[in-house]
Amino acid sequence: MNELFKALVVDKTENDFTVNVKKVTIQDLQAGDVLIKVSYSSVNYKDGLASTPDGKIVRSYPFIPGIDLAGVVVSSNDSRFKAGDEVIATSYEIGVAHYGGYSEYAQIPAEWVVPLPEGLSLKEAMVYGTAGFTAALSVQRLEENGLTPEKGSVLVTGATGGVGSIAVAILAKRGYHVVASTGKQSEHDFLIEIGASEILSREDVTGEKIRALDKQLWAAAVDPVGGKTLASILSKITYNGSVAVSGLTGGGDVPTTVFPFILRGVNLLGIDSVYCPMETRIALWKRMATDFKPDNLLNVMNKEVSLEELPNDLSSILKGEARGRTIVKL
């Protein structure tokens, strides 16, 4: 197959950095066992970093970003997949060291490909994307550590972002009282729509001072923010509660003490969606198509964009202007 197709290509030289939609061929792609005609991709924070000259995500240039993709198999050298299969590919080296989803076709190692589970469309899979998978993994880990709706309310920070909004929706689906934290006053209606029972400002969460131990407020938290926010949350989690942390938009340093852990038995759960084992990954995607699937999943998505419109949204997500999920229609 030698036909030309569109891809978003970032390139960096000593004197210039460009982000352009270009025409490429299959021969321009990196090797992979499974050739996929991409239907949808999505916009994640890592993708925004990949579209900047100093994002420290892309390892070599020129490069096709996009850490997520969902589409239909064209051909496969691996017996697990055949032409016509609907599949998802996220995480691993996709969009970082291996050409990603911002392309009408992608070649992906078979070990990174997940069959689309029954009950989920290709579009819904990318409304989830890596952000949604991270949110689902966070909720699953919290429940594995004993969280139930009867234990108390669950805080979600960065609630209007990708991980946060999907976490709010999944937790609401599971019957939890969800406390959503956001710095965006204008998005309260959106958060109520996707399932938040209560809304707090960032300042309400962090307070004026981070104490070693503070008033116990939440049974658990989903935190893609990190930094001082995480430190404050840890001091306010109830006895034997847990915090699932997956990001560092608030910084990588966490000014906490050992007291929440040794006096209240608080659990800090690290959430990694990149190298999550395939067995766990496939099982979780099935849950995301069934008992984890919000009734309003497609409503969580803010908008759908084309490749040509994509650079503006990559810029917006880095500025903290994203709302819900943005998917890219190929």
Side-chain angles (χ1 to χ4, degrees), residues 265-311:
V266 170
N267 306 289
L268 181 58
L269 309 175
I271 305 300
D272 169 48
S273 60
V274 178
Y275 295 109
C276 174
M278 182 55 75
E279 183 180 357
T280 302
R281 187 180 298 276
I282 291 174
L284 185 55
W285 273 109
K286 289 179 180 178
R287 294 196 71 184
M288 292 161 67
T290 53
D291 62 311
F292 270 25
K293 185 179 180 182
D295 298 331
N296 59 354
L297 178 61
L298 289 177
N299 294 334
V300 173
M301 179 188 65
N302 184 34
K303 60 181 176 179
E304 182 179 298
V305 299
S306 66
L307 271 184
E308 288 77 10
E309 296 169 318
L310 179 55

Side-chain angles (χ1 to χ4, degrees), residues 6 20 22 38 70 94 96 186 191 201 230 261 304-305 329:
K6 293 190 297 183
N20 294 313
K22 294 185 177 181
V38 181
I94 301 171
V96 176
S186 60
L191 291 171
S201 69
L230 176 57
F261 310 108
E304 182 179 298
V305 299
K329 186 175 183 179

Side-chain angles (χ1 to χ4, degrees), residues 36-93:
I36 302 167
K37 183 172 175 57
V38 181
S39 299
Y40 295 95
S41 185
S42 71
V43 178
N44 299 278
Y45 194 78
K46 269 189 179 179
D47 302 317
L49 292 174
S51 68
T52 63
D54 55 355
K56 299 179 181 178
I57 289 292
V58 175
R59 298 176 191 173
S60 63
Y61 295 92
F63 192 73
I64 298 173
I67 65 172
D68 296 336
L69 63 95
V72 180
V73 173
V74 176
S75 62
S76 173
N77 297 325
D78 189 288
S79 60
R80 288 171 290 182
F81 302 100
K82 65 183 186 302
D85 286 351
E86 293 183 317
V87 295
I88 307 164
T90 69
S91 310
Y92 301 100
E93 302 296 315

Side-chain angles (χ1 to χ4, degrees), residues 167-188:
V168 168
I170 292 175
L171 287 163
K173 168 75 173 184
R174 303 284 293 162
Y176 290 93
H177 180 96
V178 184
V179 181
S181 169
T182 180
K184 301 174 183 175
Q185 185 80 26
S186 60
E187 301 295 355
H188 286 200

Side-chain angles (χ1 to χ4, degrees), residues 153-157 159 168 177-181 196-200 218:
S153 60
V154 181
L155 174 71
V156 178
T157 61
V168 168
H177 180 96
V178 184
V179 181
S181 169
S197 302
E198 188 179 341
I199 299 172
L200 299 178
W218 310 294

Side-chain angles (χ1 to χ4, degrees), residues 85-150:
D85 286 351
E86 293 183 317
V87 295
I88 307 164
T90 69
S91 310
Y92 301 100
E93 302 296 315
I94 301 171
V96 176
H98 190 93
Y99 287 4
Y102 295 161
S103 173
E104 292 181 317
Y105 289 88
Q107 287 193 142
I108 305 295
E111 291 75 18
W112 301 350
V113 180
V114 174
L116 183 76
E118 186 177 346
L120 205 61
S121 68
L122 293 170
K123 184 174 183 178
E124 288 172 330
M126 286 299 97
V127 174
Y128 276 129
T130 291
F133 184 84
T134 303
L137 188 57
S138 299
V139 175
Q140 179 165 284
R141 288 289 308 282
L142 289 172
E143 292 189 336
E144 287 171 349
N145 275 267
L147 180 65
T148 63
E150 295 71 34

